[in-house]
Every structure is written in structure tokens, then in C-alpha cells.
Amino acid sequence: MFSGHTLKVLHATFRPDGGRLVTSAADGTVRQWDTRTAREIEPPYDRHVSEVRVAVYSPDGQWIASGGSDRTVRLWRATALGEGRRDVALWHGHTGAIYDLAFVTVPGEARSGHAPAARVPGALRLPTRLLSASQAIRDDPGDGTVRAWDTASASLPILVGHTSYVYPVAYSPAPAPRWIASGSWDSKVRLWDAETGECCAVLEHSNRVRALAFSPDGTALISACDDEEKLFVWDTATGRLRGRIKGPGLSVWALAVSPDGTRIAVTNYDPATDLSWSVCDVATGEELAAGKGMLLAYSRNGRWLAGREADEKTIVVRDTRTYEPITRCVGHTQQVHSLAFSPDDQSLVSASSDSTVRLWDVHTGACRTTLEGHTDQVFTAVFHPDGRRLASAGRDRGIWIWDLATGQEVARLQGHTSYVWSLAFSPDGKSLVSGSGDTTVRLWDTAPLRDRHQARRAAEALRPEVERLLERLFREQTEAEKVVVALREDRSLPEPLRRAALREVLRRQVGPR
């Protein structure tokens, strides 16, 4: 007898060799069993948030795809290998429950030897395609569609490398974003290529990294960690430390860089005095202003700084010339965790422990909209660059996308297995990045995943040419900084080659570990 599920078993299928049985159930789990002993032989997969209607093995038995009432398709390893359960892919698209899944091989790929199957940790090869169906079953009409998923790009949306909670994430600014930065309690900042999802550099810190921000031109990254009295300024082209700026104390909880790059607003925590803020001049390190509470966001026009007061619930907008309050926003009943200005600087969005997201009029302080739906603390909320939508997330693990014209949720992105602390949209709005307590950084794209896979393959194809180019430039210039300048100034270089070469320079200086 196969015993372990706590609610009705909805689907069962054998591994192709008959040695295992996979079952899915209404309890939201997928379990694997030894067919000879009837014992459960792997940790249960429990990342679906409702009934799992179907789970199937890949033809080689190395992978399992599952789907169900949460309308997601998930791909994961059949063998945990001591790493715990991690999604290899999570796909959204169905609007009804998923009842059937099937792995397929595209005709000709197996014979040609050119199947675009991806390599993932452990050197296992992914199958080629996965089909999912949401058909009518009894009283459930489904969505009436069959969808095909390209598993070749399956390993790209989850950026794995951190070993502890991921707190801040950020995209480098327009016009040509190249980097995603993530900071973690593992004392590291990782720089990921925004196009391919590759980790190109690890910036070591002495303690937990709670805050980071790019300079307005994207050439520098400012970070802060616990028990350091300095802010660190890193060169994003080489990964080298440009310099240090004296900070306000030993535990920086938040920082924001002014749009012109001349000032940094920092929030510091001291157990004796609680939270306090200060603004310093980047060039001189001089403290320009200070006070109690937090500062969290500059407006895009540079005229205002938004933060919260010492009571943790009242939002205050300050004039950046005098640092005097010009607007107060009152309405949250618990702690405010994040603030962000709209693209036109007319609105402010706040995320709070009271489980709400609120939009405020910057000039009057009036609450324009209260977005309700989260079931726990909301830690972050950010505007889409078009200003018509926003994303929010928190302790309930889901990422909510809202239509601001209607105030309604239009999508909920599931996948993280712990709280989501931070979100950032790419400057073009085509991608959203999230940082979570589950130690992962995730990318959520409006473009098909195959686009990222193709970008990575194109980068790999350029590698021999990149190596030859850099060998010549390092022979001529000797220093990484001079090589970067030469790459940026050489107008004869094709843009893909230039980007690939700059990425390789960074990898050579402080590559991933």
C-alpha cells in the first residue's frame, strides 16, 4: 500500500522503467514511490498552491512535470540529489486547471543531433518540449487550450547562487540595461547579465547585504552591509572597488541615490536610537542632513525624497533642497516597508505590514487607491515603467500584478517558496526581477523564455571571438579599466560582440564562485 497523501489521489503514472510511481493529490503534493517496496523514496514536491491534477515523468525518468488547479506548469528533478526541491521551470499561461501533460520530441531533432536542450546543474539533459492541456473535466470547463512549452530555456528564469536570504535587487538603468544586482545575507552581491541570466561577478562583503543601488549612469553600484561604517562603490565594468563613503552607522537598512548621482540617502538602524536617516554628498562624503525615521526613494525629477516617520506608519515627502516635510500621507495601520514614485512623479506607492498597497497623491497626501488581496505583510511595491501597472509582493510569497485603472489584480506569479523582499522592473518593462528568502532571484518575462535561451546561445557562439579580442586588448592595454574604455570607444565593434566582451572582462576580474 502506498500511504502518505493526506487528501484524494488524483493521478498516478509509472516511470518508463517501472521502478518508480509518481502520484499527485488534492493535498497539493507530488510523491514518488518505489514500486517494489511501496515506500516513498524522495522528499515530496509541495510547491503547488492547490490541487495537483497531473504529474508525469520525462522519457528518461530524470524529470517530472506537474500541473493542477493553480494553473501553473512546473518542471523539476525527479531526484533531489541532496539539494532539496527546486523548480527548474515554472510556466504561466493557462487560465483553467491543467489536467494532462506530455513530454514530446520535435521530429528531426533527435536525428540531427542539434536539439536545443539545455544543460543544468548535474549535467542532466532536459527533454525538448512539454505539452499541457486544460480541457473540460466533469463540472470544470478548463480553458479549452493545449499549450507547448520550450524546455530548452527552462533553467533561465531562476538565478541560483546565493546561499541565504536575498534582500535587495536592482536593474541597471536605461538606455541599455546589462546588469541585475542582488544582495544577500550570505555576505555577497551578485551581478547577473540581464540578457542571458548568467552570473558574471560576485562582490564579497564582510556581513549581511541589506541595501544596494546603481548610479544613474549604471557604471557604479553602491552597496552596504552590516557592521561596516562605510558604503562601498563598485565599478560595474570590472567589479573592482572604486572607493568607500563614510556611512551613518553600523547597519544600513536602505539607500537611495539621487537622479543626478551627487547624493545618497541612507537609513541606518541602531538598537539604542532605532532608525535614523542621513543624506551625504557623494564627492566629499559630507553629511548634508539627518533625522529620525527612514528615507526610501527619490523622485525621478530629483525634487523630493519619500520616507516614513519614526512611528513607522506615516509617510513623509521631503523637499530635497531643505529636507523639510512638504506632504504627509496617513492611513496605513502598520509598518511601511517600501515606497516608490510613479514614472510621472505624481503618485507614490507604499507597501505595508497591514497587508495593503496604497497609492498616494504626492502633492496633497490623499490616498487615491487601496489595493487589497495580499494575505500577509507586503514588503515591496514598484511601478511598471508605463505607469499603468504595478507589482507587489511580501510574506505570502506571491507576486501580484495590478491594473491601476481598475484597481484589480490581473496576474499572480507563483514560484517562490519563501517571502519576497524586493522587486524591480527592467527599464523597458519587459522583465521583472524578484529577490526572496528562498535564496533565489527570479526573472519574470513578457517575452518567451526561448528568447533568453537564444541570447545565451548567441553569447556562447561569440566566445572564441571574444577571447581573441580580449587577448589582443589586454596585450595592448594591460589594465582592465583601459580595456573597458577601448571596448566602449571602438565604434567598429558590433554591439553583441561589445556586450559579450564587456561581460567577459567582468567575469575575468571577479567571476562567479
Side-chain angles (χ1 to χ4, degrees):
M1 179 180 292
F2 301 90
S3 178
H5 286 295
T6 58
L7 292 174
K8 183 189 296 185
V9 175
L10 301 173
H11 190 270
T13 189
F14 289 100
R15 194 171 67 178
D17 65 4
R20 290 189 178 193
L21 178 73
V22 63
T23 57
S24 61
D27 61 10
T29 69
V30 181
R31 297 173 185 265
Q32 295 184 78
W33 315 87
D34 186 304
T35 55
R36 292 165 296 181
T37 65
R39 291 182 179 177
E40 190 171 0
I41 54 176
E42 293 283 346
Y45 181 85
D46 59 0
R47 296 197 171 190
H48 285 280
V49 296
S50 58
E51 295 181 338
V52 187
R53 296 284 180 170
V54 59
V56 297
Y57 284 104
S58 62
D60 63 3
Q62 300 289 347
W63 308 95
I64 293 174
S66 54
S69 298
D70 63 4
R71 301 173 294 175
T72 65
V73 178
R74 296 168 184 259
L75 180 66
W76 42 284
R77 277 185 171 179
T79 304
L81 300 177
E83 299 175 357
R85 285 288 173 224
R86 281 182 175 172
D87 297 311
V88 175
L90 169 63
W91 291 296
H92 300 268
H94 281 292
T95 58
I98 297 157
Y99 287 96
D100 202 8
L101 293 165
F103 287 97
V104 297
T105 298
V106 175
E109 287 185 341
R111 294 191 301 272
S112 70
H114 295 290
R119 289 283 183 179
V120 296
L124 296 179
R125 194 171 181 82
L126 285 165
T128 307
R129 298 284 189 275
L130 179 67
L131 299 180
S132 59
S134 176
Q135 68 271 40
I137 300 290
R138 294 181 294 278
D139 296 331
D140 184 353
D143 65 15
T145 67
V146 175
R147 294 175 182 261
W149 311 97
D150 180 4
T151 60
S153 55
S155 62
L156 294 177
I158 307 172
L159 309 185
V160 177
H162 286 297
T163 58
S164 188
Y165 317 127
V166 178
Y167 262 41
V169 293
Y171 264 95
S172 60
R178 289 197 342 215
W179 305 121
I180 294 168
S182 58
S184 171
W185 283 37
D186 64 9
S187 306
K188 294 177 175 62
V189 170
R190 288 181 176 263
L191 283 176
W192 314 82
D193 184 274
E195 185 177 19
T196 68
E198 293 177 87
C199 181
C200 294
V202 177
L203 311 179
E204 300 283 352
H205 292 67
S206 62
N207 211 325
R208 296 179 290 261
V209 179
R210 297 180 187 265
L212 56 76
F214 282 99
S215 63
D217 62 5
T219 63
L221 179 73
I222 298 91
S223 63
C225 68
D226 287 354
D227 299 332
E228 289 280 357
E229 294 183 343
K230 305 286 186 182
L231 305 179
F232 300 94
V233 183
W234 306 88
D235 188 310
T236 56
T238 65
R240 294 178 178 175
L241 190 63
R242 281 187 185 177
R244 296 175 174 86
I245 301 171
K246 187 180 186 316
L250 290 180
S251 186
V252 173
W253 278 25
L255 63 87
V257 181
S258 64
D260 63 6
T262 63
R263 299 179 179 186
I264 300 178
V266 179
T267 299
N268 183 70
Y269 175 73
D270 185 319
T273 59
D274 206 9
L275 289 170
S276 60
W277 59 264
S278 66
V279 179
C280 68
D281 183 278
V282 171
T284 66
E286 175 189 1
E287 185 177 90
L288 305 175
K292 295 293 185 183
M294 294 186 77
L295 289 180
L296 294 166
Y298 274 97
S299 62
R300 287 162 173 76
N301 61 19
R303 294 171 53 191
W304 304 309
L305 257 172
R308 76 177 195 217
E309 296 198 327
D311 68 359
E312 300 186 339
K313 297 177 289 188
T314 302
I315 298 165
V316 60
V317 179
R318 298 179 182 273
D319 187 300
T320 53
R321 293 166 298 180
T322 64
Y323 299 101
E324 291 298 317
I326 58 171
T327 308
R328 284 185 169 84
C329 308
V330 179
H332 280 298
T333 58
Q334 294 184 45
Q335 186 178 27
V336 172
H337 292 285
S338 78
L339 296 167
F341 284 92
S342 60
D344 63 3
D345 285 334
Q346 300 305 300
S347 299
L348 191 67
V349 64
S350 58
S352 169
S353 285
D354 64 14
S355 302
T356 68
V357 177
R358 293 177 183 248
L359 268 70
W360 310 88
D361 186 296
V362 170
H363 303 284
T364 67
C367 181
R368 290 176 169 171
T369 308
T370 300
L371 303 177
E372 297 180 308
H374 282 284
T375 58
D376 209 325
Q377 300 176 78
V378 188
F379 293 140
T380 178
V382 291
F383 282 97
H384 187 275
D386 67 9
R388 298 193 297 269
R389 290 163 288 169
L390 64 81
S392 62
R395 194 170 291 282
D396 60 12
R397 303 181 294 180
I399 299 170
W400 297 55
I401 308 296
W402 305 87
D403 183 323
L404 297 182
T406 64
Q408 299 297 309
E409 169 203 357
V410 294
R412 195 178 309 179
L413 310 179
Q414 303 285 354
H416 282 297
T417 60
S418 185
Y419 60 84
V420 179
W421 184 258
S422 53
L423 296 169
F425 277 106
S426 60
D428 63 7
K430 293 181 178 179
S431 296
L432 177 70
V433 63
S434 55
S436 169
D438 65 11
T439 77
T440 69
V441 177
R442 289 185 180 240
L443 289 171
W444 314 85
D445 290 342
T446 57
L449 290 179
R450 64 174 176 271
D451 291 356
R452 285 195 179 275
H453 178 63
Q454 290 166 354
R456 179 173 283 189
R457 293 179 70 193
E460 285 298 318
L462 282 172
R463 191 172 296 280
E465 190 175 356
V466 167
E467 294 290 343
R468 290 192 294 271
L469 174 62
L470 292 185
E471 183 179 354
R472 175 176 63 81
L473 288 176
F474 272 100
R475 191 167 57 247
E476 295 171 354
Q477 306 292 343
T478 68
E479 296 179 8
E481 289 81 1
K482 294 180 179 179
V483 170
V484 168
V485 171
L487 288 169
R488 287 175 173 166
E489 293 182 349
D490 187 349
R491 298 304 171 194
S492 68
L493 289 177
E495 193 57 35
L497 179 60
R498 188 196 321 276
R499 289 198 302 268
L502 288 168
R503 182 168 57 241
E504 181 61 24
V505 170
L506 179 62
R507 187 185 290 109
R508 287 186 179 191
Q509 302 307 305
V510 282
R513 291 178 288 278

